[in-house]
Amino acid sequence: MKLRHKLLTAAGSLLLLGSLSAQAESTLRIGLGADPDMLDPHLARTYYGRFVFAAMCDRLVDIDEKLQIVPGLATDWKWSDDGKTLTMNLRQGVTFQDGEKFDAAAVKFNIERALTLPGSLRKSEISSIESVEVTSPSQVVFHLKNADAALLSQLSDRAGAMLAPQAAAKPDFATHPVCSGPYQFDSRVQQDRIVLKRFENYWNKGAYHFDKVVFLPIPDASVRLANLRSGDLDLTEGIAASDVKTVLADSRLSLVKVTGLGYQGITFNIANGKVAPDNPFAKDARVREAFSLAIDRDALNQVAFEGQYTPANQAFSPVSPYHVNLPVPARDVEKAKALLAAAGVKTPINVTLLVTNNPTSQQVGQVIQAMVGEAGFNVNLQMSEFATLLDRQQRGDYQLSLSGWSGRPDPDGSIFSFIDSKGTLNDGRYASPQVDQWLTEARRTNDKAARQALYDKVVHQLQTDMPIAYLYFEPRIFGMSNKLQGFKAWPDGLVRLAGVQMAQ
């Protein structure tokens, strides 16, 4: 009996220890507006994937709250006088999550992969790089084809994310990603969750306080809020404007808001894929301009966002020093009709608009549908999961698409890939040799005044060419548990977890 009692006592102690261990494991649950696409920084394009990469993949450099470039895996750097050589000194003692060493050879591998991998969406972002030279294990030199004022900013995001070379060489990397960040990939269930776990050998482990981070894609903002209020989420991005008052009134929650860099707009299919020849927006820019003029951006902001958003007519947010001071045109249905008549287009014009399958986007689509209907556009809304929408947009399987961009600190990152004729995100296949020249010149000078003048020309030209009808700039609005401490919202909208912890 005594032996049996001891065994039971020991078993009970083990169960208790296991229970205490499970309780001690801390988990941060973050709500996202959609499921990210593939978890490969060189192939990914969704805003939501950037949340995961921010926790999983260190970049060569980062940005601070004022959008200034700060050290990341590169501790310091120096430009040559002609701006065509960039020398970086690398952080030492860093390992990837599979144990592989991070060094200059790994940087060379990553940059060359981003430039040559079939389907890489980072190619145009870092296309100025001609070669990468390893000068020592802790120093790498980028030789550029031409000066590139935007390169450091690009390296602060997915183009600068460092992937473990051995893992990245495998064909299944997107389903088993390996980086060098504070959290490593654990598991994923599509449309349900992405689970990351603490990387125990991370070089700055002490700044991170959760054992696990779970990203939960919940397209409906009201459902995300309900999960936050019930305690099933600790933090969520994308609080709807209509829910701001609810969060502020709940003593268990806090609201964090910052003016963002991102925009939302309508991309016109001008020359991409099989639908382009029969697409009315492909034949005459005046049709695109007419569609844009039929939209009342102020009314859209009030109806869909309770005045929380900012009407837009360009890619550069008001928080950007490169924002062009150009008034957003008022709605003008009569001018829209006149443009259609001048283009020789008969109304009604039947078109299909791709819209993400969440209530906010659907409402925006419905408001646009009603507005442009008065100018002669008969719009059919086609709802789609976000990653599917982007895939169709990329393939050219659309006429109109309601989609946006999360914005970048450097203006080049918010416009070049979408507007340049060779841009990897130019899903409408807009092409203008003059605009290409201005964009390239803006890339090649570090003179701020010269860059501003060039972007001013681009923005004015796009008012008539209208490859994208910019609608509004989005604030980044987060809701979180009052117990969460140390979280700050940054203009790029990403969640940075250093210093974030749960109050006991």
Side-chain angles (χ1 to χ4, degrees):
M1 291 292 292
K2 289 182 179 180
L3 178 60
R4 180 173 181 272
H5 175 73
K6 287 180 179 179
L7 289 171
L8 287 173
T9 302
S13 298
L14 287 172
L15 287 171
L16 178 60
L17 287 171
S19 176
L20 290 173
S21 176
Q23 290 176 3
E25 184 176 74
S26 56
T27 301
L28 178 67
R29 298 156 300 176
I30 302 174
L32 300 179
D35 196 32
D37 57 349
M38 60 188 71
L39 295 181
D40 182 334
H42 296 158
L43 299 173
R45 66 179 293 166
T46 64
Y47 168 57
Y48 304 102
R50 295 174 68 221
F51 282 82
V52 181
F53 297 137
M56 190 171 64
C57 305
D58 278 351
R59 280 86 61 205
L60 287 174
V61 292
D62 203 346
I63 61 166
D64 63 16
E65 293 175 82
K66 296 182 180 180
L67 306 179
Q68 300 300 306
I69 302 295
V70 296
L73 288 175
T75 56
D76 59 88
W77 50 89
K78 182 180 180 180
W79 287 100
S80 62
D81 291 340
D82 63 1
K84 294 176 66 176
T85 303
L86 172 64
T87 302
M88 281 187 162
N89 292 313
L90 306 176
R91 194 175 300 279
Q92 299 183 52
V94 176
T95 59
F96 290 102
Q97 293 147 358
D98 61 357
E100 192 175 354
K101 183 180 179 180
F102 167 76
D103 57 14
V107 175
K108 178 179 174 67
F109 168 87
N110 273 273
I111 297 301
E112 290 178 349
R113 183 181 189 268
L115 287 169
T116 61
L117 182 70
S120 171
L121 296 175
R122 311 283 81 86
K123 289 180 183 179
S124 66
E125 296 175 358
I126 58 173
S127 60
S128 62
I129 298 176
E130 184 165 40
S131 65
V132 184
E133 179 186 2
V134 174
T135 52
S136 79
S138 61
Q139 188 179 79
V140 64
V141 178
F142 299 92
H143 299 285
L144 310 187
K145 303 169 187 174
N146 45 258
D148 185 355
L151 182 60
L152 280 175
S153 178
Q154 297 292 6
L155 295 178
S156 75
D157 207 273
R158 288 173 291 198
M162 291 292 103
L163 322 179
Q166 292 178 13
K170 299 176 181 178
D172 64 346
F173 180 80
T175 56
H176 297 87
V178 182
C179 293
S180 66
Y183 293 95
Q184 64 187 89
F185 181 78
D186 181 78
S187 61
R188 179 177 192 177
V189 179
Q190 294 281 351
Q191 305 299 326
D192 181 71
R193 65 185 55 220
I194 295 171
V195 180
L196 307 182
K197 62 183 180 181
R198 184 198 295 271
F199 175 37
E200 295 298 334
N201 293 322
Y202 184 59
W203 63 271
N204 192 26
K205 179 184 173 182
Y208 296 85
H209 303 286
F210 294 97
D211 297 307
K212 285 187 177 181
V213 178
V214 181
F215 294 95
L216 298 156
I218 306 172
D220 192 321
S222 62
V223 177
R224 287 200 303 277
L225 178 58
N227 276 267
L228 181 66
R229 300 186 74 185
S230 69
D232 291 327
L233 289 177
D234 304 303
L235 171 70
T236 181
E237 65 87 30
I239 291 292
S242 58
D243 291 330
V244 167
K245 294 179 181 177
T246 301
V247 175
L248 292 174
D250 193 325
S251 61
R252 300 165 301 172
L253 304 179
S254 295
L255 186 86
V256 182
K257 177 183 175 183
V258 67
T259 301
L261 293 167
Y263 65 80
Q264 191 77 4
I266 293 174
T267 298
F268 297 97
N269 190 346
I270 298 172
N272 186 7
K274 61 184 180 181
V275 301
D278 300 321
N279 188 341
F281 301 106
K283 299 173 182 178
D284 197 314
R286 289 172 293 187
V287 180
R288 304 191 294 271
E289 186 181 358
F291 192 94
S292 180
L293 275 173
I295 300 171
D296 187 330
R297 288 157 172 79
D298 286 315
L300 175 63
N301 179 35
Q302 294 299 326
V303 172
F305 306 113
E306 299 192 1
Q308 294 277 345
Y309 288 23
T310 303
N313 63 345
Q314 59 185 285
F316 308 134
S317 163
V319 301
S320 168
Y322 292 90
H323 178 78
V324 177
N325 186 19
L326 179 68
V328 176
R331 185 186 190 219
D332 193 335
V333 174
E334 293 309 312
K335 184 176 179 180
K337 290 179 178 179
L339 285 168
L340 292 176
V345 177
K346 295 182 179 180
T347 58
I349 306 169
N350 296 315
V351 295
T352 298
L353 172 64
L354 294 184
V355 178
T356 307
N357 62 345
N358 65 61
T360 301
S361 295
Q362 183 175 2
Q363 184 181 21
V364 170
Q366 290 170 343
V367 172
I368 291 171
Q369 183 183 47
M371 288 178 174
V372 301
E374 295 180 23
F377 294 95
N378 181 27
V379 175
N380 170 52
L381 299 180
Q382 194 169 94
M383 309 304 291
S384 171
E385 191 271 327
F386 185 55
T388 302
L389 178 146
L390 290 180
D391 179 64
R392 288 188 59 181
Q393 189 175 297
Q394 191 171 14
R395 289 186 287 110
D397 184 18
Y398 77 104
Q399 290 179 305
L400 300 166
S401 181
L402 178 64
S403 60
W405 184 242
S406 49
R408 296 295 182 270
D410 189 275
D412 181 89
S414 292
I415 198 166
F416 188 96
S417 291
F418 300 89
I419 300 300
D420 185 84
S421 59
K422 296 181 180 179
T424 49
L425 299 175
N426 184 353
D427 293 334
R429 298 296 189 268
Y430 166 73
S432 165
Q434 178 63 80
V435 171
D436 284 357
Q437 180 183 337
W438 289 333
L439 290 173
T440 299
E441 289 178 6
R443 267 190 163 186
R444 293 181 178 180
T445 177
N446 285 307
D447 186 314
K448 183 179 177 182
R451 297 187 84 200
Q452 284 180 320
L454 289 162
Y455 286 127
D456 185 273
K457 291 179 180 179
V458 171
V459 168
H460 279 84
Q461 184 63 45
L462 297 186
Q463 303 306 303
T464 51
D465 292 355
M466 201 60 64
I468 299 173
Y470 300 99
L471 298 176
Y472 49 82
F473 297 111
E474 300 176 279
R476 300 305 178 192
I477 309 175
F478 295 87
M480 66 181 189
S481 164
N482 262 344
K483 294 181 179 179
L484 199 64
Q485 300 176 340
F487 174 75
K488 295 180 180 180
W490 295 35
D492 65 357
L494 301 186
V495 171
R496 288 168 169 80
L497 296 176
V500 178
Q501 58 188 314
M502 198 71 71
Q504 300 300 316

